[in-house]
Amino acid sequence: MSKPLTYADAGVDIDKANSLVQTIKKIANNTPRSGVMGEIGGFGGLFSLNLSNIERPVLVSSTDGVGTKLKIAFMTGRHDTIGIDLVAMCVNDILVQGAKPLFFLDYFSIGKLENDVASAVIQGVAEGCRQAQCALIGGETAEMPGLYAEGEYDLAGFSVGIVDNEKIIDGSSIRGGHQLVGIASSGLHSNGFSLVRKICFDTLGLKADSFVESLKGTIGDILLTPTRIYVDSVLSLIKDQPVHGLSHITGGGITENIVRVLPQACKVRIRKGSWDIPPVFTFLQEAGNVELHEMHRTFNMGIGMVVIVPEKAAADVMDRLRILGEQAFVIGDVVERSGDEPQVMWMD
């Protein structure tokens, strides 16, 4: 008789997966938050809502991934920061509506489970949750032989936050004269990496460990700079400042993201040169011979979050952001829009 087959013979190691769950439990314990019930390992994550200070609670949710930035992690063998990116892409999205992140779940899928890699990824997720002041309460780790190339995996996340209905920031109160305050990004964040990889590895022929003098580091390290999480700064800001609109600058850049919060009767004027553009964007533009318009609709170009406030509050908002450790710039203003004019104007 032939040897009886097991799930491990088909490429799925249940014992290794169970061992990883125990590791993840310990990691999740480093993201404590009031409301968490139970621990990692159940069929669902439990969270008890404290609504004592919220009159009309509204839950806000978002799901996202990190796109082909994962390819840089595969190339470098560094997996400890990509989880921060994952959390950032989700929590920054719910933050723009004034929501406080409560909890996070992740989905990690790989062809052959390597516990060291998986643990590093989840450690990054936990660090992102710590920065976002939310709890990692569950997730899914899937071993799927034959679906991914060797050494590759996929990663997705899901966040839930809460905001009082009366305090939802939806842009409806934005008016002409309001100022646009841009908060600096930490670099590329997690968008545009298909173009980044084409420029760096196809056009220039760089390797992940190639040192780039103008960037003062290896290209792999520069590209893996984690996405900035704005939760602490923005939640502190909106407590006592009149924030009428927020825009997370992700895929599509300022041009396409700012319009998502603008009333139809308004348009914005963005002043070129009003903020410091990180060297990585100049490097990519020159190396790839990319037109400026294409750069602005692909990358954040150094602005990760835009705060829209009344003109009289702009100076105080700038001061507060700097005290909170953010680099901030007044990058434009809001004016009335006529007819079907474009909602974004770039001014020299």
Side-chain angles (χ1 to χ4, degrees), residues 71-78 200-201 205-212 217-224:
K71 288 282 190 179
I72 313 301
F74 306 154
M75 293 172 66
T76 61
R78 282 188 51 198
C200 293
F201 307 120
L206 298 175
K207 304 297 183 184
D209 60 356
S210 295
F211 188 86
V212 180
T218 66
I219 194 65
D221 286 346
I222 297 299
L223 298 185
L224 280 179

Side-chain angles (χ1 to χ4, degrees), residues 174-175 178-181 242-247 258 261-262 268 306-310 334:
I174 294 173
R175 299 291 184 268
H178 279 41
Q179 300 292 295
L180 275 58
V181 176
V243 175
H244 293 176
L246 287 162
S247 180
I258 198 77
V261 299
L262 286 180
V268 295
V306 174
V307 186
I308 304 176
V309 298
V334 180

Side-chain angles (χ1 to χ4, degrees), residues 20 42 46 66 69 87 89 95 105 147 169 180 195 211 232 256 292 298 329 336:
L20 178 61
L46 300 175
V66 295
K69 188 171 185 176
V87 176
M89 294 302 287
L95 179 64
L105 296 95
L147 193 59
I169 300 173
L180 275 58
L195 179 56
F211 188 86
D232 188 42
E256 295 187 12
L292 186 58
T298 304
F329 313 87
E336 292 184 4

Side-chain angles (χ1 to χ4, degrees), residues 181-184 317-318 321-322 326-330:
V181 176
I183 309 178
V317 167
M318 291 278 288
L321 287 170
R322 288 167 181 157
E326 303 288 0
Q327 192 175 10
F329 313 87
V330 176

Side-chain angles (χ1 to χ4, degrees), residues 35-292:
V36 176
M37 300 174 63
E39 60 179 15
I40 297 286
F43 288 103
L46 300 175
F47 192 92
S48 176
L49 287 174
N50 179 358
L51 305 178
S52 58
N53 297 317
I54 302 178
E55 293 184 9
R56 296 176 60 195
V58 176
L59 295 179
V60 186
S61 62
S62 177
T63 186
D64 211 336
V66 295
T68 60
K69 188 171 185 176
L70 287 173
K71 288 282 190 179
I72 313 301
F74 306 154
M75 293 172 66
T76 61
R78 282 188 51 198
H79 308 282
D80 58 330
T81 62
I82 206 75
I84 300 175
D85 292 294
L86 180 67
V87 176
M89 294 302 287
C90 295
V91 298
N92 285 342
D93 272 357
I94 66 172
L95 179 64
V96 300
Q97 292 169 294
K100 177 186 296 186
L102 295 174
F103 58 83
F104 190 87
L105 296 95
D106 68 274
Y107 174 81
F108 176 81
S109 178
I110 192 168
K112 180 177 175 57
L113 189 59
E114 298 292 342
N115 279 10
D116 289 347
V117 172
S119 295
V121 171
I122 305 304
Q123 286 279 10
V125 173
E127 171 58 22
C129 288
R130 186 194 66 77
Q131 293 182 27
Q133 305 170 32
C134 67
L136 176 61
I137 66 168
E140 169 69 6
T141 300
E143 189 173 21
M144 298 194 286
L147 193 59
Y148 303 98
E150 183 177 354
E152 297 193 353
Y153 54 80
D154 199 9
L155 192 61
F158 181 86
S159 61
V160 172
I162 192 167
V163 62
D164 196 314
N165 185 72
E166 302 304 315
K167 297 180 180 180
I168 293 174
I169 300 173
D170 60 6
S172 60
S173 57
I174 294 173
R175 299 291 184 268
H178 279 41
Q179 300 292 295
L180 275 58
V181 176
I183 309 178
S185 69
S186 56
L188 290 163
H189 285 187
S190 299
N191 298 106
F193 273 83
S194 294
L195 179 56
V196 169
R197 291 185 300 113
K198 186 170 184 64
I199 293 170
C200 293
F201 307 120
D202 295 346
T203 302
L204 296 180
L206 298 175
K207 304 297 183 184
D209 60 356
S210 295
F211 188 86
V212 180
E213 187 65 36
S214 63
L215 301 180
K216 297 180 173 57
T218 66
I219 194 65
D221 286 346
I222 297 299
L223 298 185
L224 280 179
T225 301
T227 304
R228 190 159 182 79
I229 293 174
Y230 297 100
V231 170
D232 188 42
S233 298
V234 170
L235 289 181
S236 176
L237 188 68
I238 64 179
K239 283 181 181 178
D240 54 15
Q241 293 292 334
V243 175
H244 293 176
L246 287 162
S247 180
H248 182 203
I249 309 305
T250 55
I254 292 176
T255 303
E256 295 187 12
N257 283 287
I258 198 77
V259 299
R260 298 167 69 176
V261 299
L262 286 180
Q264 287 296 309
C266 295
K267 65 181 180 181
V268 295
R269 299 183 297 191
I270 309 293
R271 292 193 292 274
K272 298 177 183 176
S274 57
W275 71 90
D276 298 331
I277 297 178
V280 66
F281 296 106
T282 304
F283 169 78
L284 291 169
Q285 183 180 6
E286 294 176 351
N289 190 28
V290 184
E291 294 183 352
L292 186 58

